[in-house]
């Protein structure tokens, strides 16, 4: 009975394997608008190329299939005279937050930061009281005391510093005492140090040192770096007129930061965000497999709620399409970090809603301008692939053959090429791009088998041929054109 069961199980497994093999061979690696890149075409192309054996994998076969699909999709698009300008970039611009960023920026400028310009009197008062560009030259004595040390150790360091200061106040020469008793490296002891403005000093030191006159010695000042004693050597105060504009800019910057912080605290604080129970696990699941989880986790599932809004699964899925870095972060984050990220995404949504409610959204003209910019970027990708309307409409141009020819040239040159990246989201509305991972895996196996039979491959010991692989990722410069390299289907 056991033998029969084992035989039956083995027969079923063999049938499954055979069925998979037949299915994968009949399934093309990529399909675009009726054109196909077959397993045989890609397998033979990879085997005959100089790709090293280590790169004959399903991963790189899928990448080559994606590159072929990008070329074919753009060629089909360029069969029309208006080409990239005819596409609807609205969804892409929405998901990439271009419109939202413009609305928030305008809201900040027109609402949050309105009325920040200081008066002439305020600028002068700020200059006199804050002394933002005053340079103070000092010498110092340091008594080491690490913040991690216990209270008793820091107290002993403080008492030692007090003894040194008593010595100074009794008439001892500051430079000589610094050279003999400071805990700094020998070459730094007693050196004159120049500090420009308040920000150069630790907060605990700044308020004291700026009140001292040249020749005066500070009290012992506890800081993270130890106990400090300063003597003021000189003060250099600039004239007001030359520094006036810099002072004004500094004041505006400080007011902007404070007003923005207050507005954000007010908006977000009043909204009372709440990450729902189970939201962290749901977000991680969706980030790990956005497409596979689509049927199991509906778009409308709420992750974070606040007073008049919510962050849903559908919104973060759309964000993943254009921000792969956010998807990777959420997929690998700890529970605490993922909770924080969800709160930050909700904060961004709250700001966007506030901006739109104030009428700060983009105008029709601005939307059209952004769409033209996207059209120009996509046209650049096509140009770098050698595509144009004149080429694809030429009577002798055969897209089926030219797509494979383009791929052969890309593998032969082994140089970074542009990818459609996020533009697939827009093209999918017009031209469906599909890359099949199982078909790619079969093509890679075929390439390896052909290599074993002696078909193609890099010359043995040829280092340049081994380096010349499609495995080279696009450079940062390439990614700026396409919105980033993305393999697989669009």
């Amino acid at each position: 009975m056991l033998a029969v069961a084992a035989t039956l199980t083995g027969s079923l497994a063999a049938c499954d394997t055979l069925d998979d093999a037949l299915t994968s061979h009949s399934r093309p690696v990529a399909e675009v608008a009726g054109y196909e890149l077959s397993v045989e075409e890609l397998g033979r192309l990879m085997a005959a190329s100089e790709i090293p054996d280590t790169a004959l994998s399903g991963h790189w076969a899928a990448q080559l299939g994606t590159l072929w699909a990008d070329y074919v999709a753009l060629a089909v698009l360029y069969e029309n005279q208006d080409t990239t300008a005819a596409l609807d970039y609205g969804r892409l611009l929405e998901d990439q937050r271009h419109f939202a960023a413009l609305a928030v920026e305008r809201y900040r400028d027109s609402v949050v930061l309105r009325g920040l310009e200081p008066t002439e009197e305020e600028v002068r008062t700020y200059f006199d009281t804050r002394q933002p560009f005053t340079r103070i030259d000092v010498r110092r004595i340091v008594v080491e005391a690490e913040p991690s040390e216990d209270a008793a150790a820091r107290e002993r360091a403080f008492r030692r510093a007090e003894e040194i200061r008593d010595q100074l106040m009794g008439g001892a020469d500051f430079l000589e005492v610094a050279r003999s008793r400071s805990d700094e490296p020998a070459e730094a002891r007693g050196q004159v140090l120049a500090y420009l403005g308040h920000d150069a000093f630790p907060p605990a030191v700044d308020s004291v040192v700026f009140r001292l006159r040249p020749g005066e010695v500070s009290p012992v000042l506890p800081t993270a770096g130890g106990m400090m004693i300063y003597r003021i050597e000189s003060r250099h105060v600039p004239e007001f007129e030359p520094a006036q504009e810099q002072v004004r800019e500094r004041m505006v910057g400080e007011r902007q930061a404070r007003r923005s912080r207050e507005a954000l605290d007010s908006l977000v604080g009043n909204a009372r965000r709440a990450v729902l129970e189970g939201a962290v696990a749901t977000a991680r699941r969706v980030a790990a497999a956005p497409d596979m989880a689509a049927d199991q986790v509906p778009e409308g599932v709420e992750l974070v709620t606040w007073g008049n809004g919510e962050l849903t699964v559908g919104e973060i899925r759309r964000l993943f399409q254009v921000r792969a870095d956010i998807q990777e972060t959420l997929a690998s984050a700890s529970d605490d970090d993922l909770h924080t990220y969800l709160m930050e995404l909700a904060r961004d949504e709250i700001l966007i809603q506030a901006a739109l409610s104030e009428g700060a959204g983009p105008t029709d003209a601005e939307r059209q301008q952004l769409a033209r910019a996207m059209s120009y970027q996509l046209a650049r990708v096509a140009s770098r692939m050698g595509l144009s309307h004149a080429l694809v409409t030429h009577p002798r141009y055969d897209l089926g053959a030219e797509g494979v020819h383009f791929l052969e040239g890309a593998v032969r040159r082994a140089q970074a090429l542009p990818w459609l990246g996020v533009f697939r989201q827009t093209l999918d509305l017009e031209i469906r791009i599909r890359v099949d991972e199982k078909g790619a895996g079969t093509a890679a196996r075929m390439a390896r088998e052909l290599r074993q039979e002696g078909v193609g491959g890099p010359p043995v010991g040829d280092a340049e041929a081994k380096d010349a692989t499609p495995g080279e990722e696009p450079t940062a410069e390439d990614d700026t054109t396409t919105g980033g390299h993305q393999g697989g289907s669009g």
Side-chain angles (χ1 to χ4, degrees):
M1 183 67 179
L2 289 175
V4 173
T7 302
L8 180 59
T9 302
S11 298
L12 289 173
C15 287
D16 289 342
T17 303
L18 178 60
D19 182 63
D20 286 344
L22 291 173
T23 302
S24 59
H25 272 287
S26 62
R27 177 191 292 129
V29 177
E31 295 177 89
V32 178
Y35 294 92
E36 294 182 353
L37 177 65
S38 70
V39 165
E40 289 76 13
E41 283 177 314
L42 183 56
R44 293 185 182 282
L45 186 154
M46 293 177 70
S49 73
E50 293 190 349
I51 298 174
D53 293 346
T54 54
L56 298 180
S57 65
H59 169 77
W60 290 117
Q63 302 309 296
L64 291 173
T66 302
L67 185 59
W68 173 89
D70 287 354
Y71 177 89
V72 173
L74 284 175
V76 171
L77 178 68
Y78 268 67
E79 290 174 355
N80 299 317
Q81 181 63 50
D82 54 4
T83 60
T84 60
L87 295 175
D88 180 8
Y89 297 95
R91 176 67 179 274
L92 177 58
L93 288 166
E94 291 283 1
D95 288 347
Q96 282 199 301
R97 304 296 182 93
H98 287 285
F99 296 150
L102 185 60
V104 170
E105 181 181 357
R106 181 171 297 144
Y107 170 72
R108 182 200 64 192
D109 293 342
S110 62
V111 178
V112 177
L113 303 183
R114 185 171 52 203
L116 293 182
E117 195 68 22
T119 65
E120 296 295 330
E121 183 179 354
E122 288 174 327
V123 173
R124 183 71 207 214
T125 300
Y126 184 97
F127 178 82
D128 292 337
T129 57
R130 295 289 302 277
Q131 304 178 55
F133 303 115
T134 293
R135 193 188 87 197
I136 299 180
D137 296 339
V138 303
R139 298 184 196 272
R140 72 181 183 186
I141 296 172
V142 179
V143 177
E144 287 185 346
E146 294 296 328
S148 58
E149 292 179 343
D150 58 36
R154 287 186 64 85
E155 179 62 28
R156 286 193 298 272
F158 185 82
R159 286 201 300 269
R160 181 185 163 211
E162 285 279 17
E163 292 173 1
I164 293 174
R165 186 175 187 278
D166 290 343
Q167 184 182 357
L168 294 171
M169 301 310 291
D173 182 77
F174 193 97
L175 181 57
E176 292 300 323
V177 174
R179 287 173 175 171
S180 62
R181 303 199 62 179
S182 180
D183 289 337
E184 293 180 288
E187 64 275 11
R189 296 173 188 169
Q191 294 294 315
V192 175
L193 304 174
Y195 292 87
L196 181 62
H198 295 264
D199 295 340
F201 287 102
V205 173
D206 172 65
S207 59
V208 175
V209 170
F210 258 81
R211 292 200 301 266
L212 299 177
R213 295 187 296 273
E216 290 185 327
V217 176
S218 75
V220 177
L221 300 169
T223 72
M227 308 302 162
M228 304 288 184
I229 304 171
Y230 292 90
R231 187 181 76 178
I232 308 304
E233 299 298 314
S234 60
R235 297 172 66 97
H236 304 273
V237 182
E239 294 293 330
F240 172 69
E241 293 299 332
Q244 184 175 0
E245 191 55 38
Q246 287 179 284
V247 174
R248 184 184 304 278
E249 291 175 1
R250 186 186 184 97
M251 290 181 69
V252 170
E254 290 178 354
R255 290 180 176 187
Q256 284 180 345
R258 183 173 62 253
R259 185 80 68 82
S260 297
R261 185 171 58 251
E262 291 171 352
L264 181 61
D265 290 345
S266 174
L267 285 170
V268 175
N270 292 337
R272 297 183 181 179
R273 293 167 294 170
V275 176
L276 299 183
E277 184 177 355
V280 167
T282 299
R284 180 179 288 109
R285 181 182 178 192
V286 172
D291 296 327
M292 291 177 63
D295 295 336
Q296 303 169 13
V297 185
E299 299 281 281
V301 171
E302 296 178 350
L303 301 173
V304 188
T305 62
W306 55 91
N308 60 343
E310 66 281 325
L311 178 69
T312 66
V313 166
E315 288 168 324
I316 66 169
R317 277 201 183 109
R318 288 194 293 274
L319 189 60
F320 293 163
Q321 291 180 354
V322 293
R323 289 292 303 276
D325 58 320
I326 293 179
Q327 179 183 341
E328 293 167 3
T329 297
L330 295 188
S332 60
S334 66
D335 285 356
D336 288 343
D337 285 345
L338 211 159
H339 184 282
T340 300
Y341 293 141
L342 289 176
M343 291 288 278
E344 290 175 348
L345 289 174
R347 178 202 61 192
D348 293 344
E349 292 297 326
I350 292 169
L351 282 174
I352 292 168
Q353 288 181 6
L356 295 176
S357 67
E358 290 288 340
T363 64
D364 290 342
E366 288 166 333
R367 288 174 177 269
Q368 293 171 8
Q369 183 178 9
L370 285 169
R372 285 194 296 271
M374 299 298 285
S375 170
Y376 172 73
Q377 289 188 39
L378 184 56
R380 282 190 59 198
V381 176
S383 176
R384 293 180 64 191
M385 287 184 170
L387 287 167
S388 67
H389 174 68
L391 173 67
V392 301
T393 55
H394 193 281
R396 296 178 60 185
Y397 181 81
D398 180 350
L399 177 53
E402 288 300 327
V404 176
H405 179 68
F406 164 79
L407 197 56
E408 289 174 338
V411 173
R412 183 173 62 253
R413 293 191 299 272
Q415 64 186 31
L417 286 169
W419 302 74
L420 288 185
V422 297
F423 286 108
R424 295 191 191 101
Q425 182 181 354
T426 294
L427 279 173
D428 265 355
L429 300 175
E430 303 284 338
I431 305 166
R432 179 64 179 166
I433 299 172
R434 182 178 180 275
V435 177
D436 186 84
E437 292 185 2
K438 286 188 177 180
T442 304
R445 286 197 299 274
M446 175 182 288
R448 292 193 296 270
E449 291 168 0
L450 289 171
R451 281 283 178 87
Q452 291 174 357
E453 296 171 7
V455 177
V460 177
D462 189 339
E464 289 186 7
K466 287 191 176 184
D467 288 339
T469 87
E472 297 180 10
E473 294 289 342
T475 63
E477 179 182 352
D478 296 314
D479 280 352
T480 59
T481 300
T482 65
H485 162 62
Q486 295 181 354
S489 65

